[in-house]
Amino acid sequence: MVGKRRPTGGMGLRSAALIIILLYLLPTFISAETQTSVVLDLTYTALINPDPDNLDLALLPVGLGEIKINSTGNRNVRAYLEISADLGVSYLLTIDRAYLRTRFENMRLTLGKTRLSWGEGLVFNAADVLLGSSDLNVNLSAEEYRNQSEWLSALYFPLGRFAFLEAVAMPEMIDPATYKPADPTTLPELSDSGAGLRLGFELDRLFDTAVETGYFYSGNRDDHSAYLSLQGGAGINWHASASLALPTATILEIPGGSDILDGLLISGGFYGLPNIGQRLSLSLRAEALYKPGAEFTAQGAPADYGIYGYGEVSLGIDQLVNAYVRSIISPVDLSALVYGGASFSLYQGFTVYGDLSAQIGETTDVFPNRELGGYTLRLGIRFIY
């Protein structure tokens, strides 16, 4: 019996491997003032369908490799490059970050592919009008829940103590699936680009509350977004944000109440680090997202509901063991996605970890249990060097 051959990509994969090796060795030859780190993350994930009529089990081995190169020689110029390779699912080589950040006397320039965080919120952030942080496409087993990045240019102007102004431009990028070098119609148009501005300052008389407000126009969606975000730390770190997105056509027609409700997002949450001893560290986090224009009654099918919640409890012991429970909750249909796990730092840079997840809900809910992945068990090792 001849087994199935794994997809290797032929010369493409060989070329990718050569590129990775060259990128890894290049900083060594060019400059000693560069920090380079390599991350290897190897996991086995068991996917379980608990449906008695369709009981199923799948085993998914996945490998992830990352190379991060960070320049350190010039205090006024920083270059950063992050390349990752997926071995086990897509077999893709991607450039996750590639940017330059230059500091001048009265401003800072950022140019390249990166992620700008407007507003506050780990899972739900209504003020993230650039990339969006209001969907449920969140990987709770990852170190970075939302890691989407885009090509952009940004100018940051400090305006004094705890105040700043930032302007950003985001060009529409070429779609590799449709691009043809001989066909100029496959190139993105300038009108598809986006641009925005944000202002941040602090209110000393209001418990040192940080205020952030901004505006962003998306050319490919032809809509306008404005937001307001507040953050404070009087006893516990808290944040609250609201944004409103309206298409250009709706604004020209004078938006009605339903248009405003459909485009309105509100989020908030808190984060705390209670003191429970010298050897123990405890962190608590809770966030919520409110969509006034969405559904607030169960629809009998997966739907975009008007309220979601997120909670997390994490306990660390001597910086060697970390255990956590994380969950996204859909109160409308009473379903939830729950993760529980632990990691163990056996050596410097070497970590063993495992987690168990469960989708708790009916077939028509946001988080249905009786499907492949209704339960998952994951075991892995991570090495950073």
Side-chain angles (χ1 to χ4, degrees):
M1 179 177 178
V2 179
K4 292 183 179 180
R5 184 178 179 183
R6 290 184 178 272
T8 61
M11 291 300 295
L13 186 58
R14 296 176 190 174
S15 300
L18 180 60
I19 291 173
I20 291 177
I21 294 173
L22 290 176
L23 288 172
Y24 177 68
L25 294 178
L26 188 60
T28 304
F29 299 125
I30 294 179
S31 172
E33 297 178 328
T34 302
Q35 291 180 344
T36 304
S37 65
V38 179
V39 180
L40 291 179
D41 205 333
L42 310 174
T43 64
Y44 278 98
T45 302
L47 307 173
I48 305 169
N49 181 355
D51 188 350
D53 299 327
N54 190 26
L55 189 63
D56 197 7
L57 173 65
L59 183 63
L60 182 64
V62 176
L64 175 66
E66 293 181 336
I67 295 177
K68 302 177 182 180
I69 304 174
N70 188 18
S71 66
T72 60
N74 191 326
R75 62 186 300 267
N76 293 317
V77 181
R78 181 193 176 193
Y80 182 81
L81 177 64
E82 181 178 328
I83 302 173
S84 65
D86 169 38
L87 302 175
V89 179
S90 61
Y91 292 87
L92 288 178
L93 178 71
T94 60
I95 299 177
D96 300 324
R97 301 282 198 280
Y99 65 85
L100 284 171
R101 183 166 292 160
T102 305
R103 183 174 61 182
F104 299 99
E105 182 177 356
N106 297 315
M107 71 174 186
R108 186 178 69 206
L109 169 67
T110 300
L111 180 64
K113 187 180 182 184
T114 185
R115 182 180 181 92
L116 286 183
S117 297
W118 286 14
E120 293 293 332
L122 183 67
V123 174
F124 298 125
N125 178 10
D128 185 7
V129 296
L130 296 181
L131 299 175
S133 297
S134 60
D135 57 60
L136 301 181
N137 186 22
V138 181
N139 185 2
L140 295 185
S141 64
E143 291 189 341
E144 189 177 4
Y145 296 165
R146 298 187 185 272
N147 60 359
Q148 179 187 357
S149 59
E150 293 290 346
W151 291 93
L152 56 85
S153 302
L155 288 174
Y156 182 95
F157 301 92
L159 301 178
R161 186 173 179 265
F162 304 120
F164 65 89
L165 179 69
E166 184 175 45
V168 62
M170 296 177 61
E172 183 72 5
M173 300 305 296
I174 291 175
D175 183 358
T178 60
Y179 173 65
K180 298 178 181 178
D183 185 1
T185 62
T186 62
L187 293 173
E189 297 182 3
L190 180 61
S191 59
D192 292 332
S193 301
L197 190 71
R198 70 165 170 163
L199 173 68
F201 55 93
E202 188 173 282
L203 297 176
D204 296 335
R205 297 182 180 181
L206 189 60
F207 304 106
D208 293 330
T209 299
V211 180
E212 186 179 313
T213 184
Y215 161 84
F216 183 74
Y217 170 73
S218 173
N220 58 4
R221 297 193 306 266
D222 193 21
D223 66 10
H224 306 256
S225 299
Y227 78 91
L228 175 67
S229 180
L230 305 177
Q231 180 188 8
I236 191 169
N237 296 310
W238 60 270
H239 60 87
S241 302
S243 65
L244 178 63
L246 293 174
T248 300
T250 302
I251 295 176
L252 295 177
E253 295 173 358
I254 304 178
S258 62
D259 296 320
I260 293 176
L261 289 179
D262 289 341
L264 184 62
L265 290 176
I266 301 173
S267 67
F270 71 85
Y271 173 70
L273 294 169
N275 186 3
I276 59 173
Q278 294 183 346
R279 299 184 58 189
L280 302 177
S281 61
L282 177 67
S283 67
L284 306 173
R285 183 185 296 271
E287 295 181 357
L289 176 70
Y290 178 59
K291 304 178 179 181
E295 299 290 341
F296 286 87
T297 57
Q299 298 298 300
D304 182 24
Y305 291 124
I307 186 168
Y308 297 101
Y310 171 75
E312 176 181 336
V313 178
S314 177
L315 176 65
I317 305 174
D318 287 337
Q319 298 183 344
L320 300 177
V321 179
N322 183 67
Y324 63 86
V325 176
R326 303 165 181 160
S327 179
I328 295 180
I329 304 169
S330 175
V332 176
D333 60 11
L334 301 179
S335 66
L337 172 63
V338 181
Y339 269 84
S343 62
F344 307 88
S345 298
L346 302 182
Y347 304 105
Q348 182 177 358
F350 182 78
T351 303
V352 177
Y353 61 90
D355 56 50
L356 176 68
S357 73
Q359 296 185 168
I360 304 173
E362 302 297 330
T363 304
T364 58
D365 292 341
V366 174
F367 301 108
N369 176 252
R370 294 190 174 184
E371 67 176 20
L372 189 62
Y375 294 110
T376 66
L377 174 63
R378 187 177 66 131
L379 299 174
I381 57 174
R382 181 183 301 112
F383 186 42
I384 303 175
Y385 60 94

